[in-house]
Amino acid sequence: MENTMQKYCHWGAIGSLVTLIIWCVLWEMVLAPLHPGGSWLVLKAAPLLLPLYGVWKRDIYTLQWTSMMILLYFTEGVVRGWSDKGSLSAWLGWGEALIVCVYFVCAVMYLRPYKKAAKKLAKELLDKVKVNTVK
């Protein structure tokens, strides 16, 4: 059973993932595309569509691997924020990095109780195996 904190973190993960998808599409098609009229870089939003269903359904495995995959978008945001000095693209890069941080924190906080339970179960199993091998 989920607690209130996990529910907020789940909705935060969904919201930030959807926000990141929209952010990437708007950035590369409307707000600050590399080429006038949009660029093929808009396809960077496509991989974010793959885990959307799993995150919505609270799939633990999906939340785990997306918390690592999303760091690529953090890297891109920081690099473009740092290198595109004084332009809208720089601000959009820092915004992307911020959205990724929200997703990462929400995903990790949602998964935290599951990680604790898995560690406890593994410890109990190891203790049980140790007791049985001593006899």
Side-chain angles (χ1 to χ4, degrees), residues 23 27 73-101:
W23 189 272
W27 181 0
Y73 292 86
F74 176 79
T75 304
E76 187 225 3
V78 169
V79 168
R80 289 186 70 179
W82 197 268
S83 63
D84 297 349
K85 296 272 187 205
S87 67
L88 177 61
S89 185
W91 287 104
L92 291 170
W94 290 118
E96 180 182 33
L98 180 67
I99 295 167
V100 168
C101 287

Side-chain angles (χ1 to χ4, degrees), residues 125-135:
L125 182 62
L126 284 173
D127 290 343
K128 189 175 183 180
V129 169
K130 287 179 185 177
V131 168
N132 288 339
T133 57
V134 172
K135 289 182 181 180

Side-chain angles (χ1 to χ4, degrees), residues 63-120:
L63 283 157
Q64 287 174 332
W65 69 261
T66 55
S67 67
M68 293 296 109
M69 185 258 315
I70 202 95
L71 296 177
L72 294 170
Y73 292 86
F74 176 79
T75 304
E76 187 225 3
V78 169
V79 168
R80 289 186 70 179
W82 197 268
S83 63
D84 297 349
K85 296 272 187 205
S87 67
L88 177 61
S89 185
W91 287 104
L92 291 170
W94 290 118
E96 180 182 33
L98 180 67
I99 295 167
V100 168
C101 287
V102 170
Y103 178 84
F104 184 79
V105 168
C106 286
V108 168
M109 293 302 291
Y110 179 82
L111 293 169
R112 193 172 182 202
Y114 294 106
K115 182 75 172 175
K116 284 183 179 180
K119 279 186 177 181
K120 182 181 176 187

